[in-house]
Amino acid sequence: MYISLDGVSRQYASIWAVDRVSMAIEKNEFVSLLGPSGSGKTTLLRIIAGLEKPTRGRVLIDGEDVTDLPPHKRGVAMVFQEFLLFPHCTVQENLAFPLRMLKLPKAEIEERVAWVVGILSLGGLEKRYPNQLSGGQQQRVALGRGLVGRPKALLLDEPLANLDRELRQEMEVEIRRHQIALGIPFIYVTHNQEEALSMSDRIAVVRKGRIEDFAPRTEIYDRPKTAFIAQFVGRSNRFEGTMGEGGRLTTTCGVAIELPSSISVGKPVALFVKNEKLRLTSPGEAPPEGPNRIACTVKDVILRGAYADYILACGSRELHASRPRSERAFAAGEAVVGSFDPADIDAFDESAEDQS
């Protein structure tokens, strides 16, 4: 593996911001560190960069133990949430700055800057100042300043957080395209699951300083390993109850659920059904009662482009369903039946989750 963390921990006073993290990243991988604010993902990135020293554990890059090396000797570069461009310098000068600090020959600096300008489509902007650039152009310059040194890995700390949604989605495509073309690992910190899912080969879900799971993005989304991941990644309906005989469970809100599960009888269970897995039909098209069926009334409909999100009143609780607009639409106030397959349920033993 190209980048390895071996039992890395970081303590501040009595708090372990990073706790016994081990992970290995391949040379051509795009990896996202995904988690809520305060989970330790940025601290983990800074440890890889050399901006923080682990309390214990080792960091290896390209087979070399770099735990005690300063940032400039690790061969990695970092792009921050704030672009940190020098306002008094042109695009060309901003891109050349890291190379001048390395005291590279003028000809090599010009060659590398021209290379970055080419791959990031910055041609024609070299003489402009940051205040003359759009947000996307500034982001590309910040990315270029990280790449101009031809690092062994590029570390990105929520670099798209300050961009609007449309521009952010454009930059997601660009960043992923550049990573594939360069063939170096990108390690990307974000709390935005859409960013992580759109760009990553693998996602490390970070919670309370630990890695909950480190797996391909489809596995993180489709087969969550823990209740935290099921709730944090994707939009889901949560049910709670106690496991009964024959895979039957009656939730605290009175819904009868049947599921294939190895959870022991009598154990507290948390169930998750993703919004897109909750089907909606008219009462005449399906029995309104029975396992995995819930009689509901549509409270509101939220349009989201090609999809519609339905807010449903189902007895004492509210559920959510997401459907393509090409399917039959339901109106506010209309009675519907929500249903889901046992195979679409993510079930977790809450007593085991509490002990983890």
Side-chain angles (χ1 to χ4, degrees):
M1 291 294 178
Y2 199 67
I3 298 176
S4 296
L5 304 182
D6 181 15
V8 168
S9 299
R10 182 66 168 99
Q11 185 179 25
Y12 299 99
S14 61
I15 297 172
W16 289 96
V18 174
D19 188 9
R20 293 166 289 176
V21 168
S22 294
M23 60 189 304
I25 298 168
E26 296 182 11
K27 185 175 182 179
N28 61 347
E29 273 197 301
F30 194 120
V31 168
S32 286
L33 305 179
L34 173 66
S37 298
S39 61
K41 55 190 186 297
T42 293
T43 302
L44 196 55
L45 194 75
R46 290 173 63 85
I47 287 173
I48 297 171
L51 299 174
E52 299 274 357
K53 187 170 182 179
T55 305
R56 57 180 179 232
R58 299 188 307 155
V59 179
L60 294 93
I61 299 177
D62 197 15
E64 179 184 4
D65 188 337
V66 299
T67 309
D68 296 320
L69 290 183
H72 68 278
K73 292 188 176 181
R74 295 193 178 201
V76 301
M78 193 160 175
V79 178
F80 297 90
Q81 179 175 330
E82 302 297 334
F83 301 145
L84 302 179
L85 302 179
F86 299 121
H88 58 285
C89 294
T90 65
V91 166
Q92 187 169 20
E93 291 166 342
N94 267 285
L95 292 173
F97 177 79
L99 304 179
R100 291 202 176 103
M101 292 298 98
L102 295 174
K103 300 187 182 333
L104 295 184
K106 181 180 178 182
E108 185 173 354
I109 291 175
E110 291 176 350
E111 185 271 327
R112 290 199 187 189
V113 168
W115 169 72
V116 165
V117 166
I119 65 171
L120 295 178
S121 302
L122 292 170
L125 304 177
E126 296 93 332
K127 301 302 181 184
R128 293 190 187 182
Y129 291 88
N131 64 1
Q132 298 173 312
L133 303 175
S134 68
Q137 290 168 339
Q138 291 184 49
Q139 180 58 69
R140 289 205 297 274
V141 175
L143 190 61
R145 201 163 60 177
L147 292 174
V148 74
R150 296 180 181 171
K152 295 178 179 178
L154 187 66
L155 315 179
L156 303 103
D157 189 7
E158 305 207 51
L160 307 184
N162 295 327
L163 303 181
D164 61 57
R165 181 182 177 86
E166 184 176 354
L167 183 54
R168 189 169 67 240
Q169 290 176 337
E170 291 177 6
M171 289 303 302
E172 288 170 12
V173 175
E174 283 199 28
I175 289 174
R176 173 63 173 168
R177 176 167 55 84
H178 296 316
Q179 186 271 328
I180 292 172
L182 293 166
I184 63 172
F186 279 27
I187 305 176
Y188 189 100
V189 160
T190 183
H191 64 272
N192 185 319
Q193 57 174 289
E194 292 181 2
E195 287 181 5
L197 289 167
S198 68
M199 292 188 285
S200 309
D201 295 305
R202 288 193 292 167
I203 297 173
V205 181
V206 187
R207 181 193 183 203
K208 296 181 179 178
R210 295 185 180 182
I211 303 296
E212 288 262 318
D213 197 12
F214 183 30
R217 56 184 175 179
T218 52
E219 187 173 326
I220 291 291
Y221 187 84
D222 294 329
R223 296 181 296 280
K225 186 177 178 181
T226 67
F228 172 78
I229 297 173
Q231 187 161 294
F232 187 71
V233 180
R235 295 179 297 154
S236 298
N237 298 287
R238 176 176 174 136
F239 301 92
E240 297 172 348
T242 302
M243 197 68 190
E245 298 285 350
R248 292 292 186 97
L249 177 144
T250 299
T251 68
T252 53
C253 62
V255 176
I257 293 179
E258 186 178 85
L259 66 155
S261 177
S262 59
I263 298 174
S264 302
V265 173
K267 291 289 187 179
V269 179
L271 306 176
F272 298 87
V273 178
K274 285 193 166 55
N275 292 6
E276 67 267 23
K277 298 295 185 181
L278 183 62
R279 297 190 301 267
L280 299 182
T281 54
S282 296
E285 298 174 11
E289 296 180 355
N292 306 349
R293 286 185 169 84
I294 314 166
C296 304
T297 302
V298 178
K299 289 177 63 176
D300 200 1
V301 183
I302 311 298
L303 296 184
R304 300 191 184 277
Y307 285 81
D309 287 346
Y310 290 84
I311 303 174
L312 310 168
C314 307
S316 62
R317 64 165 301 165
E318 183 176 280
L319 298 179
H320 298 260
S322 181
R323 291 163 55 91
R325 291 182 62 196
S326 57
E327 296 182 2
R328 179 188 166 181
F330 296 93
E334 192 170 351
V336 296
V337 175
S339 62
F340 46 87
D341 292 330
D344 291 331
I345 299 171
D346 296 311
F348 303 94
D349 181 345
E350 282 208 289
S351 60
E353 290 279 327
D354 292 341
Q355 294 170 8
S356 63

